[in-house]
Amino acid sequence: MTGNILLNGKKKRLEYGAVAYVTQEDVMLGTLTVRETLTYSAHLRLPTTLSKEEVKDIVEGTIMEMGLQDCGDTVIGNWHRRGISGGEKKRLSIALEILTMPKMLFLDEPTSGLDSASAFFVVQSLRNIARDGRTVVSSIHQPSSEVFALFDDLFLLSGGETVYFGEAKMAVQFFAEAGFPCPSRRNPSDHFLRCINSDFDAITATLKGSQRLRDKPTSSDPFMEMATAQIKSALVEKYRDSKYAKMARARSQEISKIEGLEVETKSGSQATWWKQLTTLTKRSFVNMCRDVGYYWARIVIYILVSICVGTVFYDVGYGNTAILARVACGAFITGFMTFMSIGGFPSFIEELKVFNKERLNGYYGVAAYTLSNFLSAFPFLVTISLITGTITFYLVKFRSGFSHYAFFCLNIFFSIAVIESLMMVVASLVPNYLMGIVTGAGIIGILMMTSGFFRLLPDLPKIFWRYPISYISFSSWALQGAYKNDFIGLEFDPFLPGDRKLTGDEIITKYFGVTVDRSKWWDLTAVVVILICYRLIFFIILKMKEKASPFLQEIYAKKTLEHLDKRPSFRKVPSLASSKRHQPLHSLSSQEGLNSPLH
């Protein structure tokens, strides 16, 4: 699509702040209450100079404006907790966007999925917003007559052509003048759709060939004899030269000539970067605390698995059989136990959806979101690392000493953080629960193969697997650090009685291919570097997606048009007249006097 965007007759870009957009899907954090959601959003976008009381007044005013007083302290609801209704959720989505008083508000089918009462309440709220001096532009899904009566102006489009544009109350008159009057006691919006929606041709063709109309030689419906394309063509031609089109053009020219109607452009958020970071961190932390599936379920599983590992390898000792046991235990902890961190992927996907929506409306930047996510998760990662490290370290009885215990816990912490960062990268590229988990598990599985446990690092094929895969695999560095932390400085019984004892340095160098030239802290540093790289990759992907999105949408649109061109016409519907499955039916009036099949 090509064209120009004019605001009050002046060419403009739709900048953040001047225009807000409410998507059809209500994307919010289900663990927060209505009031908390609005408060966090206000702190993210309103000027930092406003006091807490002023922000609170704005939030409360918005709650009253959208009629959300009764559910202000009710959680929105998620997979494990029931929350507010669909109509309340839609009004909350609108409330989030009018906090900053945008000049224009776009909505994509705000009444979809709502009952008639909820739909009326939503549109009535939009009408109040428009009465407050703001422009509201909304597509609408099959509005009831009561909802339709609330609209000021109506724009009917069919196949990209203007069928009508003008006052909503004058649309019925236009259709009557064009020769397609709205029948009495029929919803005007239903009549308009019936005239311009080509999908009805399929229904008409089906009804014509159906046995249901055999006893009615003529139809009282004029649309049965006329294709939608003909009706639409007649309406388009009629509107082009009508008084309604002339009035719309004259009004547009009149507005464009008025001086002083420049639309003020401003950034989407007037809060400082630091305020955005602290608000996002706090909101994300609250969400993680309340979402059972984000970290709490994993903490319980980690405790259970740690106890299992500690009891299986309990007091592993220093015999020659303890060598393989210590190696296996270290590999399990740095590999398989950290692997369980992919369990938070579904919860992160939900959070990423919120980010995508808020980012499009200019709430905050990518850097603030990336950093806040790590800061909010930090206490939980520390908790998991300390619990897992303490239980396994002291039950298995690895090499004693606080420095060895500290390294052991840090190794677990950074390994879990790396896997979480990797899953964030996967989520940014594959935003689907099942495919994301499968993709992430596959990548982690490949990295674990080159850790040095399943095959020693010196024995890996040099091309690809040794260089570069084993070097970019966090598990290979984490496992080497774990070996050094546990083995160096210990002595073990020989394999044959009478031989000298085996030193830890000799074991990991000779039997497990781990060089002791560098310190274990360098290995841990390598894990930290990989962690930072994954976070940077996540940041870059989010930034690149913003710039690449228009090009990807263009490609998708072209593919869609090619697919639609190949689609069989709806008008070529096979007749059902010869079908043996459909028996002759009679109208209700013709059934008078017929016996009931039950007697």
Side-chain angles (χ1 to χ4, degrees):
M1 292 183 293
T2 59
N4 297 319
I5 297 173
L6 304 178
L7 297 183
N8 289 337
K10 308 295 189 297
K11 187 181 289 189
K12 286 284 185 181
R13 292 181 59 190
L14 295 182
E15 300 286 352
Y16 293 139
V19 176
Y21 177 51
V22 179
T23 59
Q24 185 174 353
E25 183 183 4
D26 301 315
V27 181
M28 289 166 283
L29 294 176
T31 56
L32 303 180
T33 66
V34 170
R35 185 169 279 103
E36 286 173 339
T37 301
L38 286 169
T39 302
Y40 284 126
S41 182
H43 284 299
L44 283 171
R45 293 182 291 161
L46 294 177
T48 311
T49 53
L50 294 178
S51 65
K52 288 185 178 181
E53 288 300 320
E54 290 174 319
V55 172
K56 183 179 179 181
D57 290 342
I58 293 174
V59 170
E60 294 301 323
T62 306
I63 289 175
M64 291 185 64
E65 185 177 2
M66 296 306 299
L68 295 169
Q69 303 95 314
D70 294 339
C71 60
D73 295 314
T74 305
V75 294
I76 296 170
N78 56 10
W79 63 275
H80 66 85
R81 191 171 183 180
R82 185 176 178 180
I84 59 179
S85 66
E88 291 167 338
K89 194 174 291 186
K90 180 60 67 178
R91 280 182 275 143
L92 176 57
S93 295
I94 298 170
L96 286 169
E97 300 310 323
I98 66 174
L99 273 172
T100 54
M101 302 289 286
K103 298 295 183 182
M104 294 185 68
L105 178 65
F106 287 95
L107 302 102
D108 181 16
E109 297 190 3
T111 60
S112 283
L114 303 182
D115 58 73
S116 57
S118 298
F120 181 82
F121 205 154
V122 168
V123 178
Q124 180 65 52
S125 302
L126 293 174
R127 184 182 177 90
N128 294 336
I129 293 171
R131 291 291 179 269
D132 196 31
R134 284 166 280 178
T135 302
V136 179
V137 182
S138 171
S139 61
I140 194 76
H141 177 75
Q142 203 79 21
S144 64
S145 55
E146 292 84 1
V147 169
F148 180 76
L150 294 174
F151 283 95
D152 299 309
D153 300 298
L154 175 66
F155 191 15
L156 281 175
L157 280 170
S158 181
E161 295 183 278
T162 301
V163 177
Y164 175 81
F165 178 49
E167 291 185 67
K169 62 184 179 182
M170 302 300 294
V172 174
Q173 182 178 328
F174 165 74
F175 272 74
E177 293 173 355
F180 304 97
C182 179
S184 60
R185 297 192 298 272
R186 178 180 288 185
N187 184 352
S189 61
D190 291 339
H191 176 68
F192 301 153
L193 285 176
R194 180 67 182 81
C195 291
I196 66 175
N197 190 346
S198 60
D199 291 350
F200 281 99
D201 285 341
I203 301 172
T204 301
T206 302
L207 291 175
K208 279 184 177 180
S210 175
Q211 293 275 357
R212 299 172 185 271
L213 296 179
R214 277 197 167 186
D215 60 332
K216 298 181 88 175
T218 58
S219 172
S220 59
D221 189 351
F223 298 110
M224 295 295 291
E225 308 300 328
M226 202 170 183
T228 302
Q230 295 175 279
I231 301 173
K232 187 191 83 172
S233 179
L235 288 169
V236 170
E237 288 295 326
K238 180 70 177 177
Y239 174 78
R240 190 173 292 136
D241 301 322
S242 69
K243 62 180 180 180
Y244 308 99
K246 293 176 183 177
M247 289 170 59
R249 286 193 292 268
R251 181 59 179 155
S252 297
Q253 292 174 1
E254 179 185 341
I255 293 174
S256 63
K257 292 178 182 178
I258 298 176
E259 297 295 332
L261 284 183
E262 290 287 334
V263 177
E264 180 186 357
T265 57
K266 56 184 179 180
S267 61
S269 173
Q270 299 177 62
T272 61
W273 188 86
W274 180 254
K275 181 68 175 294
Q276 291 177 349
L277 177 63
T278 54
T279 303
L280 281 173
T281 303
K282 184 178 179 181
R283 186 181 72 171
S284 183
F285 180 74
V286 171
N287 178 50
M288 291 173 180
C289 287
R290 295 180 184 175
D291 190 344
V292 176
Y294 215 127
Y295 279 109
W296 295 116
R298 275 190 281 166
I299 289 176
V300 173
I301 296 300
Y302 267 105
I303 292 173
L304 294 175
V305 174
S306 299
I307 293 173
C308 293
V309 171
T311 52
V312 167
F313 295 95
Y314 178 73
D315 196 6
V316 68
Y318 303 97
N320 54 59
T321 57
I323 297 173
L324 184 59
R326 287 175 179 268
V327 169
C329 184
F332 185 87
I333 293 170
T334 57
F336 291 101
M337 283 187 71
T338 55
F339 182 83
M340 292 189 299
S341 291
I342 67 172
F345 184 78
S347 297
F348 177 71
I349 283 284
E350 293 300 319
E351 197 174 83
L352 192 60
K353 287 180 181 178
V354 175
F355 161 77
N356 289 329
K357 175 212 164 189
E358 293 179 339
R359 176 60 188 151
L360 286 173
N361 277 327
Y363 282 28
Y364 45 82
V366 177
Y369 172 73
T370 305
L371 185 57
S372 68
N373 180 270
F374 178 77
L375 293 176
S376 57
F378 183 82
F380 294 97
L381 297 181
V382 170
T383 301
I384 291 174
S385 304
L386 288 176
I387 290 174
T388 303
T390 303
I391 294 174
T392 54
F393 187 85
Y394 288 105
L395 282 180
V396 177
K397 294 187 179 178
F398 287 108
R399 187 181 177 188
S400 59
F402 179 77
S403 64
H404 299 285
Y405 166 74
F407 181 90
F408 187 77
C409 292
L410 285 172
N411 205 21
I412 294 174
F413 170 81
F414 286 114
S415 296
I416 294 175
V418 165
I419 288 187
E420 289 219 334
S421 302
L422 173 60
M423 295 306 294
M424 290 170 67
V425 173
V426 172
S428 63
L429 296 173
V430 190
N432 176 271
Y433 296 145
L434 182 60
M435 292 303 298
I437 289 178
V438 169
T439 303
I443 294 173
I444 295 172
I446 291 172
L447 297 178
M448 286 173 59
M449 284 196 304
T450 58
S451 64
F453 175 73
F454 300 98
R455 191 171 190 193
L456 301 184
L457 291 175
D459 297 337
L460 286 173
K462 296 295 186 289
I463 300 176
F464 187 71
W465 293 112
R466 183 69 174 116
Y467 311 105
I469 296 299
S470 69
Y471 277 83
I472 63 175
S473 170
F474 79 95
S475 56
S476 67
W477 296 102
L479 192 58
Q480 290 180 74
Y483 286 167
K484 294 174 184 177
N485 185 58
D486 184 41
F487 279 91
I488 294 179
L490 295 181
E491 290 186 342
F492 296 87
D493 295 337
F495 294 111
L496 297 175
D499 290 349
R500 66 177 181 82
K501 287 194 172 185
L502 300 172
T503 64
D505 303 48
E506 179 186 4
I507 290 171
I508 61 174
T509 304
K510 184 177 179 180
Y511 298 106
F512 298 106
V514 176
T515 176
V516 293
D517 295 339
R518 60 177 179 271
S519 167
K520 62 183 179 183
W521 297 103
W522 281 111
D523 295 323
L524 187 63
T525 303
V527 178
V528 175
V529 170
I530 292 173
L531 166 63
I532 296 172
C533 288
Y534 278 137
R535 291 283 170 168
L536 288 175
I537 291 172
F538 177 66
F539 171 81
I540 293 170
I541 289 174
L542 293 183
K543 294 291 287 186
M544 293 298 294
K545 282 179 73 174
E546 289 183 6
K547 297 180 179 179
S549 180
F551 301 103
L552 296 175
Q553 290 175 0
E554 182 181 355
I555 295 172
Y556 178 76
K558 289 179 179 178
K559 292 292 183 181
T560 303
L561 288 174
E562 292 175 4
H563 174 72
L564 292 176
D565 289 338
K566 297 176 183 178
R567 186 179 62 178
S569 173
F570 278 124
R571 297 185 182 90
K572 298 178 183 178
V573 179
S575 173
L576 299 176
S578 59
S579 174
K580 295 180 179 180
R581 297 179 59 191
H582 295 82
Q583 301 301 319
L585 302 178
H586 305 276
S587 63
L588 288 175
S589 60
S590 66
Q591 293 183 26
E592 292 181 0
L594 294 180
N595 291 328
S596 169
L598 299 178
H599 296 289

